[in-house]
Amino acid sequence: MDELVLQAMAKWPHVPDCHGWLGLDARGQWYLRDAAVQEQGRFPQSKGSRLEHAKLVAFIGRNYACDPAGCWYFQNGPQRVFVELEATPWIFRVQADGGVQTHTGLAATVQACLVDESGKAYLVTERGLGLVHSLDTITLEQHLAQERWHLHEVLSHELPQRYGYVASPLAQQLTAQAPAPGAR
């Protein structure tokens, strides 16, 4: 995490969290979701504006982390901005030499390769689970043919619980805040 972010966290420890304002799509792109976009529906049906400013995207990537409950967030100074995930916490790029990088540019080592019922490919790494970027499926297929990695089948709906991540921290927060049935 950036040093300035750590200093801001120490200076202002009780800044409220932010939910629903940032999304990560299946191609590793960040989306800003203002109140009007959020009113139109959940991510990714209502994506918002794709962030294109290279320094902002890099800043978010350097300060991207996960809380103990499996909710991914961007630490924006003293405030946690929780991320709505279209797919998984990581989007992996697969290189011809077998190297793998996260959508934030971090190197990762493959521990397992998965495919779901719709043919989407995922990698399990020391960083966690990530969807293979759609442009890299041919490269992945070449690595599988060379038996660099072995493919295991999985059901997509089982991935969040199995790999410990929350796809929608906003939905989780809203559920937690909802009154219990029969409560007044």
Side-chain angles (χ1 to χ4, degrees):
M1 217 166 269
D2 287 3
E3 183 60 34
L4 288 174
V5 169
L6 296 172
Q7 290 171 8
M9 291 168 60
K11 188 172 182 177
W12 298 289
H14 303 294
V15 174
D17 294 335
C18 179
H19 289 83
W21 287 78
L22 187 63
L24 176 68
D25 78 357
R27 295 181 68 111
Q29 298 172 334
W30 300 105
Y31 284 83
L32 183 60
R33 305 182 68 247
D34 63 19
V37 169
Q38 290 182 50
E39 286 179 15
Q40 294 173 10
R42 290 192 175 174
F43 189 80
Q45 289 74 28
S46 179
K47 282 191 172 182
S49 302
R50 185 165 62 94
L51 297 178
E52 298 183 32
H53 190 278
K55 289 185 179 184
L56 176 58
V57 169
F59 179 69
I60 292 171
R62 287 192 311 272
N63 296 287
Y64 182 55
C66 183
D67 74 8
C71 295
W72 286 80
Y73 63 92
F74 152 55
Q75 189 71 48
N76 184 25
Q79 183 176 53
R80 284 186 176 182
V81 179
F82 284 93
V83 179
E84 297 293 298
L85 304 173
E86 180 175 354
T88 58
W90 298 108
I91 306 301
F92 289 123
R93 300 303 313 256
V94 180
Q95 309 301 314
D97 66 0
V100 174
Q101 279 193 332
T102 68
H103 65 280
T104 63
L106 300 172
T109 302
V110 176
Q111 299 169 345
C113 184
L114 312 173
V115 64
D116 72 11
E117 66 278 4
S118 65
K120 292 180 183 171
Y122 306 85
L123 298 177
V124 180
T125 74
E126 78 283 8
R127 299 191 184 282
L129 178 75
L131 178 69
V132 173
H133 193 288
S134 60
L135 293 178
D136 296 341
T137 54
I138 292 174
T139 305
L140 175 65
E141 186 178 310
Q142 293 167 345
H143 291 305
L144 292 169
Q146 296 167 2
E147 296 187 358
R148 180 181 298 251
W149 305 314
H150 299 283
L151 202 56
H152 305 279
E153 293 184 8
V154 67
L155 296 173
S156 61
H157 73 273
E158 295 176 351
L159 293 174
Q161 183 173 0
R162 186 172 176 183
Y163 292 97
Y165 68 93
V166 175
S168 178
L170 175 61
Q172 184 181 57
Q173 179 201 36
L174 294 174
T175 301
Q177 292 176 347
R184 291 182 186 221

